[in-house]
């Protein structure tokens, strides 16, 4: 209504209140919370590994570092996506089959990312102790060389004709094998300790071939390993004619190798809680008839390298140095037999 009075103020236009932004449904908020948790896990897992074992990771196969970085980057991307979705206006939900397909695809994708976060944490290596790190120092007897794919323990003053390619146990710092393997090199044998992808020997079952090819002057080769590393070594030895011997440390083959033309030594611990004496006894039927079995009294699974105690293992009954001295003697016997042909 307008006024005819000349001094009347002009009428104010009606104020239009901005429409309220539609609230996101509770299901959407729950989905954002799940995504945020996945993103945080993807960042937290590699951060924890870097904080507690960063100095170990840099000496392992590069694939472990790549996985940790990938996890962190994926986590940051997920968290940024969560922030963007939280500030985006609500939209009408998809209906029908398309909604189901999109939901299943997103759920599967975040499940894969959650597995990546768990893997990044689980693959944290068991770090080498000071005893192993001390054995990495070169001296007048043994030169220790670090390469992208392995550590090499090279005897000085001689040209070794027999070598050993060794695969550490799962998630064990490759450097943890140094004290035992260096003792073999001190007796004139070339020893190569593999840096396994992600710290798991079975991820690259043919890795030993690269190490053998890198030392063409070595005429005779044995392969071996600890625990899962021994499983990978056994599989490699069974399928490669250029391998003359197999050294199993607290390990056994997955398949039947009883007909293999190999010099084989199985060295185990009487108190091993992971590769138990019963496991080793069961492996006898799958190894050549001439296999030498040595049970080290009082030794446990972690006696074969220097990385501290391992969950699920037994309690050692002898000092580590005593157990490793027996392990070295049995391992040397295998290399002597391979050297003799």
């Amino acid at each position: 209504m307008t006024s005819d009075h000349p001094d009347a103020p002009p009428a104010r236009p009606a104020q239009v209140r901005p429409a309220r932004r539609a609230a996101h449904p509770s299901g959407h908020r729950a989905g954002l919370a799940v995504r945020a948790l996945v993103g945080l896990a993807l960042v937290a897992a590699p951060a924890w590994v870097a904080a507690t074992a960063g100095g170990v990771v840099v000496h392992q196969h590069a694939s472990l570092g790549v996985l940790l970085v990938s996890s962190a980057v994926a986590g940051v991307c997920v968290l940024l996506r969560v922030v963007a979705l939280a500030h985006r206006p609500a939209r009408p939900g998809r209906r029908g089959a398309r909604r189901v397909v999109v939901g299943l695809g997103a759920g599967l994708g975040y499940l894969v990312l959650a597995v990546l976060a768990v893997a990044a944490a689980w693959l944290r290596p068991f770090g080498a102790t000071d005893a192993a790190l001390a054995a990495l120092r070169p001296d007048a007897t043994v030169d220790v060389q670090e390469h992208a794919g392995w550590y090499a323990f090279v005897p000085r003053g001689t040209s070794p004709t027999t070598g050993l390619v060794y695969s550490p146990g799962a998630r064990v710092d490759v450097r943890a094998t140094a004290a035992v393997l260096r003792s073999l090199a001190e007796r004139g044998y070339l020893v190569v300790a593999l840096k396994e992808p992600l710290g798991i020997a079975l991820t690259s079952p043919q890795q030993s071939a690269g190490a053998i090819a890198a030392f063409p002057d070595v005429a005779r080769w044995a392969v071996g390993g600890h625990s899962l590393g021994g499983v990978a070594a056994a599989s490699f030895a069974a399928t490669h004619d250029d391998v003359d011997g197999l050294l199993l440390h607290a390990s056994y083959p997955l398949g039947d190798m009883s007909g293999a033309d190999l010099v084989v030594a199985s060295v185990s611990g009487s108190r091993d809680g992971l590769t138990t004496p019963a496991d080793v006894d069961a492996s006898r039927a799958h190894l050549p008839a001439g296999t030498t079995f040595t049970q080290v009294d009082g030794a446990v699974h972690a006696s074969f390298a220097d990385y501290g105690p391992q969950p699920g293992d037994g309690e050692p009954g002898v000092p580590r140095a005593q157990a490793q001295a027996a392990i070295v003697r049995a391992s040397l016997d295998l290399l002597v037999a391979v050297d003799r042909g």
Side-chain angles (χ1 to χ4, degrees), residues 110-203:
Y110 281 98
L111 177 61
V112 171
L113 290 175
V115 171
L116 173 61
V118 172
W122 184 78
L123 289 170
R124 177 187 180 275
F126 294 98
T129 64
D130 290 341
L133 298 180
L136 288 171
R137 301 190 188 103
D139 61 15
T141 305
V142 176
D143 183 25
V144 182
Q145 304 169 358
E146 182 177 8
H147 299 268
W150 57 74
Y151 277 88
F153 299 85
V154 184
R156 294 187 189 271
T158 184
S159 298
T161 57
T162 298
L164 169 68
V165 180
Y166 192 87
S167 298
R171 300 185 294 153
V172 172
D173 182 352
V174 60
R175 301 173 301 168
T177 64
V180 170
L181 300 185
R182 183 194 181 97
S183 297
L184 306 180
E186 289 173 349
R187 297 294 295 270
Y189 299 102
L190 173 70
V191 183
V192 179
L194 296 177
K195 296 181 178 180
E196 300 153 345
L198 303 180
I200 306 294
L202 293 180
T203 58

Side-chain angles (χ1 to χ4, degrees), residues 243-302:
V243 174
D244 304 293
L246 172 63
L247 176 62
L248 298 173
H249 282 173
S251 187
Y252 48 84
L254 288 181
D256 184 13
M257 298 182 60
S258 58
D261 184 18
L262 292 166
V263 180
V264 182
S266 174
V267 189
S268 59
S270 67
R271 295 195 176 190
D272 193 325
L274 298 173
T275 302
T276 65
D279 293 330
V280 175
D281 285 341
S283 73
R284 291 176 180 269
H286 303 297
L287 291 169
T291 298
T292 300
F293 288 86
T294 302
Q295 185 180 87
V296 179
D297 187 41
V300 296
H301 203 71

